[in-house]
């Protein structure tokens, strides 16, 4: 099998051309085609001679993603089924509002965690995405954003399939390219990593990449409740999570966003609300109360509006910012927790 050219750094590409008796800057030209222009065909690298293009063809492949299908929601949200070079599929979602377009990116095929309310956790096959497979999703959605909404992407959220902190190295390698001037040049402040809460990796991220935004899928601030709906939380208890979040804040000075769904009979009592207030008071944070998107499990039913509003009222009375978020793209199964490659079934 030929080597994937995009696994090479700029330096390695330059060295390749020197080794072939050509000049180093040829490496820069190729790098630009690959990463700034997003070209996935050596034929289209038009400032290279036919011989050079042939040399590349003989030595390398470009394992680019392909967008298999695109679905559009009545609210403008676009869901892409993204086919990888080994025929596995992930999904990515472009979400327009009047002021922004946000790309929701996948980091794994399937997920390494087991949240019981999330459709992605039901998928069997699992592998990590490579840095370039993550980068390609962002690049493809930037092009869609320009095409359909006449503006470049404004924000990137790692809230698609997978747990980004369980694929740390590849996710940060992709973000390095997304933020690099020689890549897409997106500001780190516009990138949010969402995690179910892996304390050790949150600390590592704080130390290495303090500029990103951090979101944590909390859903309950009571250990026994959380563990019941997010079984992996058994290994990563709320106490350790809190410790890592305090470290995050001390290191980055940036507050955390908690994502939180309120379900009937699961986390809808006064005690649940109070536990969340107590938790939020221990670390600078705000709460996004997100709508539950049904994945057809009887156990989970969205709590009535009045309960969600009560959550908001009590949080705000305690000085914690809380926003009630409506769902986007649910008519095409593109909303939070609904990504499950259904169009492939
Ligand atoms: N693994 C990461 C990234 C996924 S983000 C994380 O958990 O943060 C997807 C978000 O949607 C998470 O906040 C997740 O808890 C939430 N979610 C999962 N299933 C959902 C559902 N059925 N309805 C609403 N939100 C859901």
């Amino acid at each position: 099998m030929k080597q994937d050219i995009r696994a090479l750094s700029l330096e390695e590409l330059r060295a390749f051309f020197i080794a072939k008796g050509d000049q180093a800057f040829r490496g820069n030209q190729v790098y630009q085609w690959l990463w700034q222009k997003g070209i996935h065909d050596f034929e289209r690298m038009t400032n290279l001679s036919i011989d050079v293009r042939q040399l590349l063809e003989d030595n390398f492949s470009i394992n680019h993603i392909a967008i298999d299908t695109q679905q559009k929601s009545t609210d403008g949200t676009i869901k892409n089924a993204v086919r990888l070079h080994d025929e596995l599929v992930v999904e990515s979602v472009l979400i327009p509002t009047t002021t922004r377009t946000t790309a929701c990116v996948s980091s794994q095929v399937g997920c390494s965690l087991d949240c019981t309310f999330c459709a992605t956790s039901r998928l069997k096959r699992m592998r990590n995405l490579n840095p370039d497979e993550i980068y390609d999703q962002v690049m493809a959605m930037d092009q869609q954003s320009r095409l359909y909404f006449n503006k470049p992407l404004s924000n990137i959220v790692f809230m698609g399939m997978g747990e980004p902190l369980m694929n740390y190295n590849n996710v940060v390698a992709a973000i390095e390219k997304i933020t690099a001037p020689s890549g897409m040049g997106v500001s780190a402040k516009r990138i949010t990593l969402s995690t179910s809460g892996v304390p050790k990796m949150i600390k590592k991220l704080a130390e290495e990449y303090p500029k990103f935004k951090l979101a944590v899928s909390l859903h309950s601030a009571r250990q026994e409740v959380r563990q019941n709906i997010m079984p992996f939380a058994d290994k990563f208890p709320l106490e350790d999570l809190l410790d890592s979040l305090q470290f995050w804040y001390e290191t980055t000075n940036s507050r955390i966003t908690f994502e939180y769904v309120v379900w009937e009979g699961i986390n809808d009592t006064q005690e649940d609300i109070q536990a969340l207030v107590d938790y939020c008071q221990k670390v600078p944070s705000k709460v996004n109360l997100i709508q539950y998107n049904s994945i057809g499990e009887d156990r989970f039913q969205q709590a009535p509006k009045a309960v969600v509003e009560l959550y908001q009222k009590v949080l705000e009375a305690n000085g914690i910012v809380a926003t009630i978020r409506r769902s986007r793209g649910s008519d095409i199964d593109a909303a939070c927790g609904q990504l499950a490659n259904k169009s492939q079934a």
Side-chain angles (χ1 to χ4, degrees):
M1 211 165 91
K2 292 184 210 168
Q3 191 184 4
D4 180 11
I5 192 165
R6 295 190 307 167
L8 267 57
S9 66
L10 174 59
E11 273 321 305
E12 287 166 337
L13 266 179
R14 288 166 59 91
F16 169 80
F17 282 105
I18 294 171
K20 294 288 178 192
D22 202 335
Q23 297 180 53
F25 85 92
R26 201 76 65 212
N28 297 50
Q29 289 177 314
V30 173
Y31 195 85
Q32 241 186 5
W33 283 113
L34 292 173
W35 296 110
Q36 267 174 357
K37 302 192 177 126
I39 294 296
H40 28 111
D41 192 349
F42 294 120
E43 279 296 297
R44 292 181 59 198
M45 302 188 173
T46 47
N47 61 354
L48 305 179
S49 71
I50 291 182
D51 286 351
V52 171
R53 284 185 248 165
Q54 192 57 49
L55 177 72
L56 292 172
E57 194 72 60
D58 293 343
N59 285 277
F60 300 109
S61 66
I62 305 180
N63 291 346
H64 205 277
I65 61 163
I67 307 282
D68 257 6
T69 55
Q70 247 188 43
Q71 288 172 276
K72 286 209 180 87
S73 159
T74 49
D75 67 19
T77 299
I78 297 174
K79 181 168 84 168
N80 298 299
V82 175
R83 185 160 40 84
L84 310 172
H85 68 90
D86 55 4
E87 302 300 321
L88 292 176
V89 175
V90 293
E91 292 177 331
S92 62
V93 184
L94 181 66
I95 308 150
T97 67
T98 45
T99 51
R100 326 166 143 185
T101 54
T102 300
C104 177
V105 181
S106 288
S107 57
Q108 297 181 312
V109 184
C111 190
S112 23
L113 301 179
D114 50 8
C115 305
T116 48
F117 46 80
C118 179
T120 304
S121 72
R122 292 179 179 166
L123 296 177
K124 269 193 258 74
R125 301 190 63 174
M126 216 289 284
R127 77 162 169 87
N128 286 332
L129 294 191
N130 300 327
D132 48 275
E133 292 168 332
I134 297 168
Y135 185 87
D136 288 349
Q137 293 175 61
V138 177
M139 194 74 169
M141 284 189 281
D142 184 52
Q143 284 163 4
Q144 290 173 349
S145 177
R146 289 168 199 266
L147 182 65
Y148 299 118
F149 309 113
N150 290 316
K151 50 186 176 214
L153 272 187
S154 54
N155 295 75
I156 298 165
V157 297
F158 282 82
M159 297 188 184
M161 292 176 165
E163 168 52 49
L165 293 189
M166 293 291 209
N167 183 18
Y168 183 91
N169 289 342
N170 292 351
V171 166
V172 297
I175 300 181
E176 292 271 7
K177 282 225 168 65
I178 293 166
T179 52
S182 61
M184 287 180 69
V186 175
S187 154
K189 290 192 303 250
R190 297 177 174 278
I191 300 179
T192 302
L193 258 91
S194 180
T195 177
S196 291
V198 188
K200 202 172 91 194
M201 302 314 286
I202 291 173
K203 286 189 174 173
K204 188 170 158 75
L205 188 72
E207 279 175 335
E208 296 178 354
Y209 296 93
K211 292 268 173 352
F212 305 152
K213 298 262 173 289
L214 184 67
V216 174
S217 305
L218 193 64
H219 303 307
S220 174
R222 295 168 64 195
Q223 180 61 26
E224 66 282 13
V225 176
R226 191 166 194 264
Q227 207 171 302
N228 192 11
I229 55 176
M230 302 167 87
F232 71 89
D234 168 28
K235 287 189 282 297
F236 307 126
L238 280 168
E239 236 169 87
D240 295 358
L241 180 59
L242 182 64
D243 172 65
S244 72
L245 296 178
Q246 286 166 338
F247 181 83
W248 169 269
Y249 186 77
E250 282 157 25
T251 314
T252 67
N253 214 20
S254 140
R255 70 179 171 167
I256 293 119
T257 301
F258 289 124
E259 294 151 282
Y260 201 103
V261 176
V262 189
W263 289 284
E264 213 165 22
I266 291 183
N267 56 358
D268 59 352
T269 66
Q270 202 73 46
E271 199 182 345
D272 292 294
I273 301 178
Q274 193 53 48
L276 179 59
V277 169
D278 293 345
Y279 205 76
C280 289
Q281 280 176 337
K282 292 185 186 132
V283 64
S285 51
K286 61 173 183 168
V287 177
N288 276 346
L289 294 161
I290 59 182
Q291 196 179 314
Y292 173 57
N293 302 303
S294 176
I295 60 161
E297 284 268 347
D298 288 345
R299 189 177 157 205
F300 293 105
Q301 301 293 337
Q302 167 76 52
K305 203 162 158 236
V307 182
V308 182
E309 285 171 356
L310 181 64
Y311 254 97
Q312 186 182 35
K313 205 174 111 208
V314 179
L315 285 162
E316 288 188 336
N318 283 280
I320 300 149
V321 175
T323 317
I324 299 178
R325 287 289 172 96
R326 74 194 163 91
S327 197
R328 301 289 307 269
S330 53
D331 57 335
I332 54 166
D333 284 331
C336 301
Q338 293 187 315
L339 302 184
N341 292 345
K342 261 202 207 163
S343 65
Q344 306 295 308

